[in-house]
């Protein structure tokens, strides 16, 4: 089962990722800036997802069974 966590750079998203990893899962993590995620969790699949750029949504969701949507907008 592939689980996507959006907003993984945020406080809640990061805690969720740590919890999922502690439970033995390997979530796909998403952010507008996936390089920040790769630095923190090099063992996970970090992908770009920017809800203001629809072309990034489909690839991030490919093969996903469940998603945590933890995105909030501070403006474009």
């Amino acid at each position: 089962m592939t689980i996507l966590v959006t907003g993984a750079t945020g406080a809640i998203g990061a805690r969720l990722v740590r919890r999922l990893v502690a439970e033995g899962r390997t979530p796909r993590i998403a952010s507008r800036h996936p390089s920040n995620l790769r630095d923190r969790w090099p063992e996970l699949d970090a992908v770009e997802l920017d809800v203001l750029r629809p072309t990034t949504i489909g690839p991030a969701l490919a093969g996903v069974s469940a998603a945590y949507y933890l995105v909030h907008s501070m403006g474009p």
Side-chain angles (χ1 to χ4, degrees):
M1 172 188 226
T2 301
I3 299 170
L4 175 70
V5 177
T6 66
T9 56
I12 294 171
R15 287 184 180 129
L16 176 59
V17 170
R18 285 194 299 271
R19 175 72 179 259
L20 291 169
V21 169
E23 291 176 356
R25 300 183 184 272
T26 53
R28 178 180 300 163
I29 49 180
S31 170
R32 288 178 295 176
H33 307 288
S35 60
N36 295 339
L37 296 173
R38 289 184 192 111
D39 291 342
R40 186 183 282 182
W41 292 292
E43 73 281 6
L44 299 180
D45 180 18
V47 298
E48 180 181 12
L49 194 156
D50 183 340
V51 297
L52 298 177
R53 293 188 17 223
T55 59
T56 66
I57 298 171
L61 289 171
V64 168
S65 302
Y68 289 92
Y69 184 81
L70 301 171
V71 173
H72 64 87
S73 179
M74 301 292 280

